Amino acid sequence: DKRNIMLFDYSSTVEKSIINLSKTSVAYNIYIPESRIIDGGIPYLFKLSDFGFNINFFPDSAIFYFLKKCEIVLMGAETFYPDGTAFNTTGSDMIAVLCKEMNIPLYFITPMIKVDSRMLKDVVSEKVLLNLKSKLIQNESDTFNVEKIKFTCPELLPISPKYIKGFITEFGTFDSKEIFSISEKYIKEIGG
């Protein structure tokens, strides 16, 4: 029932869910930040531009401005822990905090295959750092020493379940408190 939707960082699962909305006669406003770290907003433009949505594509720095126009935020999970912690591209953590502050529900649309059972054995994911020099410095200048500057940035960050309204899976929609029991059941069934 939400008409104003923000999508952060490309996810084929989220894309398919949004395309399903085009089968209704409702006008949807889709807000897509550029997700500059990996150009994660651009793929949505190629996929969704022919489905009759009102799409607004904007730089990450305008997220707060456009979030005020939204009723819901949807993200795909790169992976998630049974405790309801979800991982997505840098920037998703900032959106999660803003959503909580602004009382805008944040949902992760994800297949259960992405549940990472290793956290049940106290094994946590290693943080991956990207070198963004070529993305951030287009024209190297001799006015500063590029070699003395770090351009590293984390690729994925955890989003605490306290910021997540729920998970939309092939088995239904569950709030972040329910996902633990659903994940445990799923892991036992697949032998994880």
Side-chain angles (χ1 to χ4, degrees):
D1 63 339
K2 309 297 186 197
R3 309 285 190 266
N4 300 291
I5 304 167
M6 182 176 285
L7 310 178
F8 183 74
D9 192 38
Y10 179 75
S11 158
S12 61
T13 309
V14 173
E15 171 201 312
K16 290 172 188 156
S17 299
I18 295 299
I19 288 172
N20 279 334
L21 294 178
S22 71
K23 297 173 184 170
T24 69
S25 60
V26 175
Y28 289 95
N29 301 306
I30 308 293
Y31 296 89
I32 304 171
E34 67 176 345
S35 188
R36 184 176 187 203
I37 185 173
I38 59 170
D39 296 324
I42 291 282
Y44 279 128
L45 302 183
F46 292 110
K47 306 291 186 172
L48 300 178
S49 61
D50 293 330
F51 285 94
F53 299 115
N54 301 313
I55 297 175
N56 196 324
F57 184 67
F58 53 91
D60 287 357
S61 55
I63 284 172
F64 183 59
Y65 174 82
F66 286 103
L67 195 55
K68 294 174 191 175
K69 300 174 182 292
C70 295
E71 300 168 275
I72 190 169
V73 174
L74 302 175
M75 295 184 192
E78 289 297 322
T79 187
F80 70 96
Y81 289 157
D83 72 352
T85 300
F87 289 81
N88 200 337
T89 304
T90 297
S92 56
D93 55 342
M94 172 179 58
I95 293 173
V97 171
L98 287 171
C99 284
K100 179 92 170 169
E101 178 68 23
M102 298 167 71
N103 203 26
I104 298 169
L106 167 61
Y107 282 89
F108 278 84
I109 302 178
T110 183
M112 288 301 295
I113 192 93
K114 292 198 174 189
V115 65
D116 186 344
S117 63
R118 294 177 300 164
M119 71 82 57
L120 296 173
K121 300 169 189 148
D122 291 328
V123 177
V124 294
S125 298
E126 293 285 326
K127 190 178 291 181
V128 175
L129 295 175
L130 300 175
N131 185 337
L132 299 178
K133 178 181 172 186
S134 62
K135 184 175 281 292
L136 298 176
I137 302 295
Q138 301 297 319
N139 299 313
E140 289 193 32
S141 168
D142 56 5
T143 60
F144 62 90
N145 189 344
V146 173
E147 299 308 315
K148 294 194 179 217
I149 300 171
K150 292 181 183 174
F151 296 94
T152 56
C153 181
E155 180 181 25
L156 299 174
L157 290 174
I159 294 94
S160 167
K162 72 180 179 181
Y163 298 113
I164 301 169
K165 177 70 175 166
F167 290 81
I168 301 169
T169 75
E170 66 272 34
F171 300 111
T173 301
F174 307 98
D175 76 26
S176 57
K177 296 174 189 108
E178 294 175 296
I179 201 67
F180 188 83
S181 61
I182 303 302
S183 296
E184 265 192 328
K185 182 179 177 194
Y186 179 80
I187 291 164
K188 285 177 185 169
E189 288 176 5
I190 64 163

